[in-house]
Amino acid sequence: MAVAAGAKGRIPFREYRTWYRLTGTPGRGRPAVVVVHGGPGSTHDYLIGLSSLSEDGWPVVHYDQLGNGGSTHLPDAGADFWTVGLFLEELDNLLRHLGVADDYVLVGQSWGGMLAARHAADRPGGLRGLVIANSPASYPLWRQEMEALRAALPPGVDATLRAHEVAGTTHTEEYAEAVKVFNDRHVCRVRPLPPAYVASVMETANDPTVYHTMNGPSEFHVVGTLKDWSVEDRLPDIAVPTLVLSGRHDEATPATVRPFLERISDVRWEILEESSHMPHLEEPELFHATLVDFLKSLDGRRSDG
């Protein structure tokens, strides 16, 4: 199926629908850049700035993963429904329906980077390159590093957080205010918060089914179904050039990122010094230039499958 430039809509996936937006025209020389958002349970909005890559010839695909944004919401689906396999299947379906499965690059951010890495490990023939932005290689590593980040918060903040986590009152305003202290340090350091970021936060809050089920009530209290998930064992199977990006103040600390560097054969790592978890919003010019440099390095290259 060929999709017209500038198209957006909802494509069938199982008995549901996946919302997508295409900026630019595929099939004109450069691969499509498919953007895989984080969460799980967020939306494409906070990554919409990547659509500017189309100005240099890379068509850009954004989509909302099932359960959020413009895609089908399933607030009554149980934990056994929301699996990594579901979202891998949805991504494959998207690539086929949009006609880009034979020539594309994945840019995955946070959870999306882990999902993209797992997709790449199966060596799809049309994948030309992989960008893993602000992603841990495993949730056990993530949870371990969260302990250190929490311990470094201002006096009393972590104690407040833990009191609510033990009591099961993570829905309260006091917990939300303490979470904000962490997020201001390690998730997005721009003030005021960028509207695109706020849009995704609001969408997640509007329907937190996926986030609460798979992750938990906050970035650092991971008690959902992903708490023991890792892609570390599959990283040696990735056979395309890979760019790893992170911020100096990122909640995805160097320890969580290092397995990508140690286990992917063709990989480079760039740290953005003034950023935390959202360098595409915190240092957009440098992020864009780094991404473009990597994408240009793929020109003329083809995966060996």
Side-chain angles (χ1 to χ4, degrees), residues 102-164:
D102 292 333
D103 194 21
Y104 66 102
V105 175
L106 285 185
V107 177
Q109 201 276 336
S110 196
W111 138 263
M114 295 183 74
L115 191 68
R118 179 60 187 81
H119 172 93
D122 286 339
R123 300 193 177 187
L127 182 63
R128 308 302 175 210
L130 174 65
V131 179
I132 300 170
N134 318 102
S135 307
S138 85
Y139 276 93
L141 277 177
W142 176 271
R143 290 189 287 116
Q144 174 182 305
E145 288 296 289
M146 286 298 151
E147 292 299 314
L149 295 180
R150 291 175 67 140
L153 293 173
V157 175
D158 192 36
T160 298
L161 291 168
R162 291 184 189 276
H164 284 288

Side-chain angles (χ1 to χ4, degrees), residues 19 37-38 40-46 64-65 67-71 73 195-212:
W19 182 94
H37 68 69
S42 187
T43 62
H44 78 284
D45 301 86
Y46 75 103
D64 287 336
Q65 294 162 25
N68 285 86
S71 296
H73 288 233
Y197 172 76
V198 173
S200 283
V201 170
M202 292 179 68
E203 288 277 9
T204 305
N206 179 57
D207 186 351
T209 304
V210 182
Y211 187 75
H212 285 175

Side-chain angles (χ1 to χ4, degrees), residues 31-257:
V33 174
V34 179
V35 183
V36 188
H37 68 69
S42 187
T43 62
H44 78 284
D45 301 86
Y46 75 103
L47 292 161
I48 196 62
L50 274 66
S51 60
S52 65
L53 293 168
S54 65
E55 298 169 9
D56 292 310
W58 290 283
V60 180
V61 175
H62 287 87
Y63 75 106
D64 287 336
Q65 294 162 25
L66 193 67
N68 285 86
S71 296
T72 304
H73 288 233
L74 296 156
D76 298 323
D80 58 345
F81 178 82
W82 302 110
T83 65
V84 173
L86 171 77
F87 292 107
L88 288 170
E89 183 184 343
E90 182 185 36
L91 176 55
D92 287 340
N93 182 71
L94 177 84
L95 298 171
R96 290 193 304 270
H97 269 270
L98 298 187
V100 300
D102 292 333
D103 194 21
Y104 66 102
V105 175
L106 285 185
V107 177
Q109 201 276 336
S110 196
W111 138 263
M114 295 183 74
L115 191 68
R118 179 60 187 81
H119 172 93
D122 286 339
R123 300 193 177 187
L127 182 63
R128 308 302 175 210
L130 174 65
V131 179
I132 300 170
N134 318 102
S135 307
S138 85
Y139 276 93
L141 277 177
W142 176 271
R143 290 189 287 116
Q144 174 182 305
E145 288 296 289
M146 286 298 151
E147 292 299 314
L149 295 180
R150 291 175 67 140
L153 293 173
V157 175
D158 192 36
T160 298
L161 291 168
R162 291 184 189 276
H164 284 288
E165 289 160 4
V166 170
T169 52
T170 57
H171 58 282
T172 61
E173 184 63 28
E174 186 178 45
Y175 186 78
E177 286 299 314
V179 167
K180 185 176 182 296
V181 176
F182 179 94
N183 290 351
D184 287 351
R185 286 188 172 199
H186 299 298
V187 179
C188 185
R189 294 160 64 89
V190 177
R191 295 296 173 273
L193 290 170
Y197 172 76
V198 173
S200 283
V201 170
M202 292 179 68
E203 288 277 9
T204 305
N206 179 57
D207 186 351
T209 304
V210 182
Y211 187 75
H212 285 175
T213 300
M214 299 184 76
N215 184 84
S218 65
E219 294 292 278
F220 45 80
H221 188 49
V222 181
V223 292
T225 57
L226 289 178
K227 66 185 179 67
D228 296 317
W229 186 55
S230 173
V231 296
E232 287 185 83
D233 62 330
R234 293 303 308 272
L235 297 180
D237 297 322
I238 295 175
V240 293
T242 301
L243 171 65
V244 175
L245 294 165
S246 62
R248 178 61 65 191
H249 310 282
D250 206 328
E251 56 182 345
T253 66
T256 71
V257 169

Side-chain angles (χ1 to χ4, degrees), residues 257-276:
V257 169
R258 196 162 290 115
F260 294 122
L261 285 300
E262 295 173 345
R263 300 190 181 201
I264 299 175
S265 60
D266 185 355
V267 64
R268 62 183 253 211
W269 184 16
E270 298 288 344
I271 300 175
L272 284 78
E273 294 293 334
E274 302 302 322
S275 294
S276 59

Side-chain angles (χ1 to χ4, degrees), residues 276-297:
S276 59
H277 200 54
M278 303 282 165
H280 60 284
L281 298 174
E282 296 166 291
E283 294 179 83
E285 295 84 4
L286 179 56
F287 181 92
H288 180 84
T290 304
L291 185 53
V292 166
D293 179 67
F294 174 73
L295 292 173
K296 285 182 176 179
S297 75

